[in-house]
Amino acid sequence: LVERVGAWDVPMVAKTAESDHDRFIMLHCMAMETMARMDRPDDCLDPRGKVAIMDCMGVSKQHLRSELIRAMQAISTIDSDHFPDTLAELWVVNAPYTFTAIATLCRPFLSSETLQKFHVSS
């Protein structure tokens, strides 16, 4: 799964997340259910789960809008409650310095299992 966060039309995503929050969350859940039902290739070397790549090229202060933060918090809670351990690894690429700095500050609060899944490259 490749998520090009930096290429989002931030005002449109924020407007959708705020104006139809339930639908926004439902669409995320539908995507998670679809991925959960996808067969893994027989020759897959990593049976742990999905690998996500988050491309942050173009991420700016716009991405810190309160509507997006609320939506991402809701999605994170749903994923933790209903889709635990589906993520094998998260690779964050083209991370701006501020993201790297925030990730460094958060590291002490994350479990070693979570830290092993999380990789940042700027």
Side-chain angles (χ1 to χ4, degrees):
L1 171 67
V2 177
E3 181 68 51
R4 295 186 58 220
V5 178
W8 286 357
D9 178 348
V10 175
M12 181 58 74
V13 173
K15 179 181 175 187
T16 303
E18 186 70 13
S19 66
D20 200 349
H21 184 79
D22 291 340
R23 183 169 184 266
F24 190 82
I25 301 301
M26 180 193 65
L27 290 173
H28 171 76
C29 291
M30 288 172 62
M32 292 297 289
E33 289 289 338
T34 300
M35 285 192 299
R37 290 188 177 109
M38 292 172 65
D39 290 332
R40 295 183 58 86
D42 292 334
D43 60 346
C44 181
L45 300 176
D46 191 347
R48 295 176 299 157
K50 309 292 187 256
V51 174
I53 301 169
M54 184 171 30
D55 185 355
C56 293
M57 179 69 73
V59 167
S60 67
K61 286 188 259 182
Q62 282 192 92
H63 288 79
L64 297 176
R65 294 172 71 143
S66 61
E67 306 93 354
L68 290 179
I69 291 172
R70 277 194 299 278
M72 294 307 128
Q73 287 172 330
I75 285 171
S76 177
T77 299
I78 288 169
D79 287 353
S80 294
D81 292 347
H82 301 285
F83 305 101
D85 298 324
T86 57
L87 186 65
E89 293 185 10
L90 172 62
W91 291 84
V92 180
V93 297
N94 299 315
Y97 172 75
T98 52
F99 183 93
T100 306
I102 291 169
T104 301
L105 290 172
C106 292
R107 281 179 128 15
F109 304 104
L110 300 173
S111 70
S112 61
E113 291 143 358
T114 300
L115 290 172
Q116 288 174 350
K117 295 179 179 184
F118 190 67
H119 313 279
V120 179
S121 173
S122 41

